[in-house]
Amino acid sequence: MNAPPQALRFHLNGHEVAVCAAPLARLSQVLREELGLTGTKVGCDAGDCGACTVSIDGRQVCACMTPLGQVAGRKVITVEGLASGGALTPLQAAFHRHGAAQCGICTPGMLIAAQDLLDRNPAPTEPEVLDALGGVLCRCTGYRKIVEAVLDAGGLDGGGGSARAENPPAGQAVGARLAKVDGIPKLTGTEIYGADAAPEDALWLRVSRAPHARARFSLGDLAPLRAKYPGLAAVLTHKDVPGSNVFGIYPSGKDQPVLAPGEVRYRGEAVLALAGDAPTIAAIRDEELPITWQPLAPVVGSEAALAEGATLVQAEKPGNILVRGRVVRGDTEAAFAHAAFTAEGAWQTPFVEHAYIEPEAGWARRDGDRLTVAVTTQTPYMDRDEIAHVLGIEKERVRLIPTACGGGFGGKLDASVQLLVGLAAWTLDRPVRCTFTRPESMAATTKRHPAKMRARAACDRGGKLLAYAFDGTFDTGAYASWGPTVADRVPIHAAGPYAVPNVHNTSVAVHTNGPPAGAFRGFGVPQCALVHEALCDELAAQCDLDPLEFRLRNALRKGDSTATGQVLEASAGLAECLEALKPHWGSARERAEAHNARGGDLRRGAGIGCMWYGCGNTAMSNPSTLRVGLSREGRLTLYSGAAEIGQGASTVMVQICADALGVPAACFEVVMGDTELTADAGKSSASRQTFVSGRAAQLAGNDLRAQILRRTNAGDDAALEIAEGAVILREAGQDRRLDLGNLAPDARGDVLLGEGTFDPPTTPLDADGQGTPYATYGFAARSPRSKSTWHWDGSWCATSSPPTTSAARSIRSRSRARFTAASPRDSASRSWRSTFQA
Ligand code: FES
Ligand code: FES
């Protein structure tokens, strides 16, 4: 039996506090919900991720595994207690300079763990830093910047010594190392993520999910449940959905129920939504729900789904086929027949979970005939439209406010918690919040597509690729999600970043009773990169060519045609990437050969891999609009609808817009993503924001500059200075002044507003997949780094566009226990204006 609440005292961030809570309540829960210190994050609630790391008596500890009773009389420091008087600590400042916080959800725990080390060892070595941070997982950074920042704080150069944040003058922001515009809140614990705030009176929502991969079910009488739990405000079923009960990415292919209407197609599918006070929602067990299940044999795996007479996962999808993709060019069979060398093989890859540290979370509130939803997301406008579709209301009546996003990687492109809290708040006319548990997040949300792939490649005696044939079957699970995008992208990219004159690439997305497979860093392209790189190695060996040299001979260059017949007119940087790798590659091969020559059981190898990726939507319109406003007081605000998910989109947009306008980046404030305040900048996916929204930011800056020049009759070369209430223009030794106080402000207080829209030029693809699917591509190559030791991150990467790397190490292993959840405390929504701080 749980011990009753008691008054417990401890020292928190330098002050004595008293809390009345159960001694077994998790410290993380008490800090967040009772004391309002949401800088301590919860990623797993199970001692695995370290996001909740706090300091107790000077040692790092998982707050989610620490019962409140154990901290009585002890000293607890959270991230909020690191900085004093508004100044960052040297460690926080080092994190800021090095860009060590991306999405930032791990940063509070990382800082506490690092400070624990620095307090005991002010100048640690790299292995000591790695050891001290081993209990805190970061899904975004690849750890390198974090380690460099900690070493820097300890006075050592960890290899990022030149990585100093700059405050560049007008016209020099692009290419400069700016500290992130949203960096400070992530370092001080004041950043608000999906689970960190909600209206005070919000109900909590929990989803009851299918325990079977395929089943029918019937719902019994809910009255006894309601009678037993007076705190249960509602149990929502599919009948409570006022608009469409199906949602999905494509307007013509919506197929996933918000709440299952009597049949489930994967384990973890949403069946009922329970809304009520927090203790009630936590107390109700699934076994108490009056659901009668009739389990059915599931379709497991794409082979079973494609078998003759297979059960249809969705009745209206014959053969369980969602969609096929195809790119055909030249005469592949003739080319294979005359080739000097050929290589072929079969490969398969499994489901992969995104494993962002922040589970899905958010809240919704109805105000009359309007709905506000705040949620962690990669795609505010798609969310807004999907919520309106489900509720059967105009999309303008939904305001979507993205919270900070603690990692997405494609997984937060699909609607999850936002539809459920939106539905509950709308139908109950009460604010509602929800945070998925870690197991729920893993069970319910999309995954990387498992793939079964066969491929063949051929080259001539000189190592020039002549032909490539690929066929891939992608398990898209129970519902479509981004399956059509994967089926489209794969055949375009399957032959790799190489010039191949004859191509026959096909793909198919197949429904099974697995979890829906959706977007995950590359939409299927990484799966086929595994194949083309393996075939390159094999052909290089047959030609007796160095693997790097083989790739260099075949690299797509400016003026070459891709598999879709698109001529690359702008840039194609793979050759430059490979040239940059050459010294590292050569020394890595030599080290491996020298090691192997010494004999023994352990053998080493050195590998090289290349990739390319089309930026933006495939062969369809893909516009972004950004705005930049200037207020009467001289406040410059960038209104960016590009969701910031840790990739630095907000900072990049400021850099580009600043240079276009001709003022320093430090002049800007940023409003990010609120659909009421920003224009639609599309989704943060497909490597599109810097290219597409960045161009829109440039056009917006150009537009505002043109308006200012026009009003002052100044020439194109005039230098701009934003002053209080005015813009000063300098030209040929003369100053002109534009007084902003004389201009009429709009609803936001801006007297001038620049706007830019960019839609990258693409064309639809024909039946053979020929056309221009993307306006531009990114290229990258990777090999072992040139160091005499083999590091844990052991690689060197060259890209023709900024790289994003990720790694997650699970070192922490701690005992698990069950604790009673303390009562959640509601808190108000945050302010959505973030300020640039260099
Ligand atoms: S939330 Fe405590 S270790 Fe993950
Ligand atoms: S910055 Fe570490 S998880 Fe995102």
Side-chain angles (χ1 to χ4, degrees):
M1 187 195 267
N2 294 323
Q6 297 174 15
L8 286 152
R9 291 179 180 279
F10 60 101
H11 295 268
L12 177 61
N13 296 334
H15 303 282
E16 185 166 315
V17 294
V19 184
C20 186
L24 286 181
R26 296 172 193 260
L27 176 60
S28 52
Q29 182 84 359
V30 173
L31 289 170
R32 291 175 54 82
E33 305 298 345
E34 302 296 327
L35 298 167
L37 296 182
T38 55
T40 298
K41 305 303 179 191
V42 174
C44 65
D45 227 11
D48 292 323
C49 73
C52 64
T53 300
V54 299
S55 166
I56 299 181
D57 291 343
R59 304 308 292 252
Q60 58 166 309
V61 169
C62 273
C64 76
M65 292 281 94
T66 304
L68 180 67
Q70 285 187 1
V71 300
R74 299 173 73 186
K75 286 187 181 152
V76 177
I77 305 287
T78 68
V79 68
E80 292 92 344
L82 290 180
S84 64
L88 298 182
T89 63
L91 177 64
Q92 288 170 316
F95 265 59
H96 200 35
R97 285 196 303 276
H98 286 266
Q102 287 191 14
C103 83
I105 194 80
C106 72
T107 306
M110 222 36 111
L111 287 166
I112 293 285
Q115 194 62 56
D116 171 16
L117 170 68
L118 292 172
D119 288 346
R120 289 180 284 111
N121 179 359
T125 62
E126 183 166 324
E128 288 169 335
V129 173
L130 291 171
D131 191 44
L133 302 185
V136 187
L137 300 184
C138 178
R139 179 68 180 83
C140 301
T141 63
Y143 298 94
R144 197 62 242 162
K145 297 289 176 199
I146 295 170
V147 172
E148 287 170 4
V150 180
L151 290 171
D152 186 1
L156 294 177
D157 179 0
S162 61
R164 294 291 182 260
E166 301 167 12
N167 196 359
Q172 296 179 34
V174 172
R177 299 193 70 99
L178 263 67
K180 293 177 79 174
V181 298
D182 53 343
I184 302 282
K186 292 182 162 87
L187 296 162
T188 56
T190 54
E191 185 67 286
I192 302 295
Y193 294 81
D196 290 345
E200 284 289 337
D201 55 343
L203 297 171
W204 282 80
L205 182 141
R206 179 167 78 78
V207 186
S208 172
R209 299 187 174 278
H212 306 286
R214 180 168 168 253
R216 295 198 186 92
F217 69 91
S218 57
L219 195 57
D221 184 5
L222 288 164
L225 189 75
R226 291 204 175 99
K228 181 177 176 185
Y229 293 104
L232 182 62
V235 179
L236 301 175
T237 73
H238 70 100
K239 292 180 182 160
D240 295 301
V241 178
S244 167
N245 188 42
V246 288
F247 69 98
I249 305 302
Y250 292 89
S252 60
K254 294 185 186 296
D255 63 353
Q256 184 166 356
V258 179
L259 293 166
E263 178 183 4
V264 293
R265 297 186 176 89
Y266 75 98
R267 203 164 76 158
E269 184 162 349
V271 175
L272 299 174
L274 283 61
D277 63 52
T280 299
I281 293 304
I284 297 174
R285 290 171 290 115
D286 276 353
E287 304 83 77
E288 295 181 86
L289 301 174
I291 304 175
T292 305
W293 291 101
Q294 182 194 347
L296 301 167
V299 178
V300 180
S302 55
E303 218 164 294
L306 292 173
E308 189 76 27
T311 302
L312 293 185
V313 175
Q314 295 199 35
E316 61 281 14
K317 304 273 178 63
N320 285 319
I321 290 171
L322 169 64
V323 66
R324 292 182 186 277
R326 168 186 161 93
V327 169
V328 176
R329 183 165 180 251
D331 187 345
T332 316
E333 285 314 312
F336 274 116
H338 296 103
F341 302 110
T342 60
E344 65 183 309
W347 293 260
Q348 67 179 60
T349 63
F351 280 113
V352 184
E353 157 67 24
H354 301 82
Y356 26 76
I357 304 295
E358 180 204 30
E360 295 75 6
W363 58 266
R365 182 186 63 224
R366 181 172 183 169
D367 300 301
D369 67 350
R370 293 177 58 79
L371 184 75
T372 299
V373 181
V375 70
T376 175
T377 182
Q378 295 180 238
T379 176
Y381 273 84
M382 281 176 66
D383 283 355
R384 179 199 67 169
D385 297 355
E386 196 76 272
I387 293 165
H389 171 75
V390 163
L391 298 183
I393 62 177
E394 300 83 14
K395 58 189 179 186
E396 290 74 22
R397 286 162 64 187
V398 178
R399 177 182 189 177
L400 199 298
I401 305 175
T403 66
C405 179
F409 318 113
K412 289 176 182 167
L413 286 171
D414 284 73
S416 58
V417 73
Q418 47 272 65
L419 299 182
L420 297 160
V421 293
L423 168 67
W426 186 257
T427 55
L428 302 177
D429 199 9
R430 291 275 308 271
V432 178
R433 68 186 303 187
C434 178
T435 301
F436 283 0
T437 64
R438 174 60 53 182
E440 180 178 26
S441 172
M442 289 204 169
T445 61
T446 59
K447 307 284 171 274
R448 183 185 290 287
H449 283 73
K452 289 188 190 314
M453 301 167 286
R454 298 195 63 84
R456 217 161 37 125
C459 67
D460 64 18
R461 293 201 175 279
K464 280 292 284 179
L465 282 166
L466 299 173
Y468 197 92
F470 171 97
D471 182 52
T473 302
F474 290 75
D475 180 348
T476 204
Y479 298 108
S481 180
W482 292 88
T485 307
V486 169
D488 282 350
R489 270 196 183 259
V490 161
I492 294 169
H493 291 83
Y498 308 112
V500 192
N502 302 288
V503 171
H504 193 290
N505 296 338
T506 55
S507 64
V508 60
V510 176
H511 281 302
T512 67
N513 288 117
F520 191 157
R521 280 196 162 170
F523 293 106
V525 175
Q527 288 95 311
C528 40
L530 167 73
V531 175
H532 59 66
E533 291 309 287
L535 291 178
C536 277
D537 281 346
E538 199 170 325
L539 288 177
Q542 291 186 42
C543 298
D544 200 20
L545 274 176
D546 177 272
L548 186 148
E549 179 58 31
F550 181 88
R551 286 163 170 86
L552 199 50
R553 287 186 189 188
N554 290 290
L556 277 167
R557 289 175 163 83
K558 185 177 174 182
D560 284 342
S561 294
T562 68
T564 69
Q566 178 182 357
V567 178
L568 297 177
E569 290 166 349
S571 68
L574 183 62
E576 286 91 329
C577 291
L578 288 165
E579 292 290 355
L581 282 185
K582 264 185 179 172
H584 307 274
W585 170 244
S587 58
R589 299 260 290 181
E590 283 166 17
R591 288 198 310 278
E593 281 162 20
H595 173 90
N596 296 338
R598 291 196 289 274
D601 291 339
L602 184 64
R603 290 289 186 274
R604 281 178 172 158
I608 188 166
C610 298
M611 60 77 69
W612 69 318
Y613 194 66
C615 298
N617 293 357
T618 306
M620 63 172 72
S621 177
N622 181 24
S624 281
T625 298
L626 263 76
R627 296 182 182 129
V628 55
L630 186 58
S631 76
R632 227 174 211 177
E633 298 74 30
R635 191 182 66 237
L636 199 54
T637 306
L638 183 66
Y639 300 99
S640 170
E644 171 65 62
I645 59 171
Q647 84 279 44
S650 296
T651 309
V652 167
M653 299 309 145
V654 166
Q655 288 175 277
I656 294 172
C657 189
D659 281 1
L661 181 56
V663 301
C667 294
F668 280 80
E669 293 182 358
V670 182
V671 171
M672 188 282 288
D674 183 335
T675 58
E676 202 91 321
L677 300 176
T678 67
D680 189 352
K683 56 200 187 302
S684 285
S685 75
S687 301
R688 63 177 294 283
Q689 288 298 15
T690 298
F691 172 50
V692 183
S693 297
R695 185 67 187 274
Q698 182 187 34
L699 296 172
N702 288 344
D703 183 27
L704 181 57
R705 180 179 174 85
Q707 291 180 43
I708 293 169
L709 297 181
R710 210 164 40 239
R711 284 175 177 273
T712 52
N713 211 19
D716 288 347
D717 295 335
L720 267 57
E721 182 188 325
I722 310 287
E724 196 172 325
V727 181
I728 312 297
L729 296 97
R730 298 207 166 85
E731 188 180 23
Q734 265 198 329
D735 278 9
R736 295 166 207 244
R737 181 183 174 90
L738 174 62
D739 280 317
L740 301 170
N742 300 329
L743 305 176
D746 64 14
R748 294 187 203 93
D750 293 316
V751 293
L752 293 173
L753 191 69
E755 182 174 302
T757 297
F758 178 61
D759 193 357
T762 61
T763 66
L765 303 183
D766 67 16
D768 282 335
Q770 298 298 293
T772 301
Y774 312 103
T776 194
Y777 298 79
F779 294 84
R782 196 172 176 106
S783 81
R785 60 195 270 165
S786 177
K787 271 204 167 185
S788 54
T789 54
W790 292 68
H791 271 253
W792 54 269
D793 73 338
S795 60
W796 203 94
C797 183
T799 66
S800 67
S801 61
T804 316
T805 58
S806 71
R809 297 179 304 144
S810 183
I811 296 173
R812 183 174 300 244
S813 172
R814 303 203 174 168
S815 60
R816 300 181 179 208
R818 283 184 74 85
F819 299 109
T820 308
S823 174
R825 192 187 67 86
D826 302 335
S827 55
S829 172
R830 65 186 281 217
S831 157
W832 303 104
R833 185 178 290 271
S834 32
T835 304
F836 175 87
Q837 290 176 272

